[in-house]
Amino acid sequence: MSPLILLAVVCLCLQSAIASPLPKTGCQDPETVRTAEEALDHINADRHEGYILSLSQILDVYQEPKEGDGALLNLTVEVVETKCHVISRKKWKSCEVKDMSDVPVTGKCDVSVSVQKNVELNSYTCTIQKVPATVIVNICPDCPTEERLDDPIIMETTNLSLQKYNKESSFSKHFALLNVTGASMQWVVGPAYFVEYTIQETDCAKDQTDVDFTQCKLLNSESARKGYCTGSHLTIDDEPEKQHVTVKCEIYEPENATGEKSAAAGNKLSQKPVNSRGKVLVLPSPSVLVSHRTSSTTRNCPGPRRVPFEWLKP
Ligand SMILES: *[C@@H]1O[C@H](CO)[C@@H](O)[C@H](O)[C@H]1NC(C)=O
Ligand SMILES: *[C@@H]1O[C@H](CO)[C@@H](O)[C@H](O)[C@H]1NC(C)=O
Ligand SMILES: *[C@@H]1O[C@H](CO)[C@@H](O)[C@H](O)[C@H]1NC(C)=O
Ligand SMILES: CC(=O)N[C@H]1CO[C@H](CO)[C@@H](O)[C@@H]1O
């Protein structure tokens, strides 16, 4: 090979190496898609409250001019809530999206990431809101209707369901309620109440007798098991004395029990939660469905929608 050709080949390679993270074909570029998917994993990992968000559609992508390797990308994505709580630390791809019977939640995230070999999350702002009740009733008249989380009957349902869990679980410690995260009602043969809530291990042994379990202290957040539960309480009109209570919990081991990095983080300093990179704002449910589409000048934007919900606005 002559030196000139060699130089040309080197130049070409360099150029394509530098150009590789660029969104060549806008929202449909495989690199853009991969970046958006990874960015959403980072956002979910950054959060402590709420449900894991799933990628529905890439609405817009913008690349900031930057010197040197890598790229700075601003992405706007449409998201939908899944049935996994963020404390499960699951990947969004393994979580089922909420449907009409779960009161679906949709929204939009503006995300800023640095892309080199890995995708690094710089900042994010998401706004999410529940699908209006009128839309749900139209599509699914028999679906459960939402209840206020602070309704006494919801508190009672949660209590009964958690009591059942504590009685039946194979863990030695008593679990206490953290937050009620969802509540709904449906008429079956009587009113049935459904609850979703998070729990955390306490310092009380669960098989102690003569213990006031309301006095149990939550174990330190870093070393306690946490859980996400769904439960229900059905009252049958003819037999009000009978309790029909169900409970199902998924328990997650403490963070220090998984991964080399966290196991090595024995000292207090490195266990401090890192500052959050952004926020998820929960807006009140709108009266009509909103569209998340933005006016984009980027090629092939928005990309195709992955969640096949015909009721989502274009
Ligand atoms: C990209 O996002 C960053 C961080 O939010 C922001 O400062 C910047 O102005 C955005 N760029 C454009 C072109 O929107
Ligand atoms: C639920 O349980 C808590 C603690 O055990 C108790 O303080 C509260 O009064 C109970 N609420 C209802 C509605 O049963
Ligand atoms: C996690 O923390 C708990 C309580 O401090 C401790 O008993 C346990 O051994 C720790 N696990 C790991 C893997 O460090
Ligand atoms: C969303 C919500 O209600 N979060 C609360 C969950 O419980 C913790 C501890 O009780 C509160 O600090 C949060 O505000």
Side-chain angles (χ1 to χ4, degrees), residues 195-208:
V195 288
E196 299 161 8
Y197 55 96
T198 51
I199 58 176
Q200 187 168 322
E201 238 175 350
T202 67
D203 59 355
C204 295
K206 71 164 205 164
D207 45 13
Q208 273 172 300

Side-chain angles (χ1 to χ4, degrees), residues 253-297:
E253 293 298 319
E255 280 174 59
N256 73 343
T258 52
E260 292 164 39
K261 229 195 307 172
S262 38
N267 63 69
K268 287 236 161 66
L269 260 182
S270 48
Q271 285 199 355
K272 265 196 190 154
V274 281
N275 281 336
S276 179
R277 310 241 156 125
K279 52 183 180 287
V280 176
L281 303 167
V282 184
L283 301 181
S285 180
S287 50
V288 290
L289 265 182
V290 292
S291 169
H292 301 117
R293 185 172 276 199
T294 46
S295 59
S296 172
T297 51

